[in-house]
Amino acid sequence: MSAYKDGKPTEEDAKILRIRITLTSCNLKSLEKVCADLIKGAKNENQPKVKGPVRMPTKTLRITTRKTPCGEGSKTWDKFQLRIHKRVIDLQASSDDVGK
């Protein structure tokens, strides 16, 4: 038996897939650009539903360290931080459209 009936794909072959794309970056400008490109490409392919980008909370990693390596001198401190930005995009597409 073949998966096709009368040479046409059955309903199982044209299933709608729910795809979640998670993007993470330290650089906010490049992250927003990639999100815009993905959404623009999905809308050009006539995807039925595109949700996003959903902005997730920014993680801030902080490190406080002494400026002097030996411990002599005045007690001065350096504070460093790294911000991690996260975006989530949800797509709904058929299995044929995902390959494009």
Side-chain angles (χ1 to χ4, degrees), residues 15-57:
K15 271 189 177 176
I16 299 295
L17 302 174
R18 296 175 67 194
I19 302 165
R20 175 165 282 176
I21 301 171
T22 304
L23 302 169
T24 306
S25 177
C26 297
N27 189 350
L28 184 61
K29 281 187 179 182
S30 64
L31 181 65
E32 291 293 336
K33 183 176 184 271
V34 170
C35 286
D37 291 344
L38 279 173
I39 291 172
K40 186 177 173 184
K43 287 186 178 178
N44 286 343
E45 294 293 327
N46 297 324
Q47 299 295 333
K49 289 188 180 180
V50 178
K51 291 184 181 178
V54 177
R55 289 162 178 83
M56 302 304 285

Side-chain angles (χ1 to χ4, degrees), residues 24-26 57-64 79-85:
T24 306
S25 177
C26 297
T58 302
K59 291 183 182 177
T60 304
L61 306 176
R62 291 189 178 104
I63 295 178
T64 305
K79 296 177 183 175
F80 299 101
Q81 70 177 7
L82 174 69
R83 292 184 179 187
I84 300 173
H85 305 277

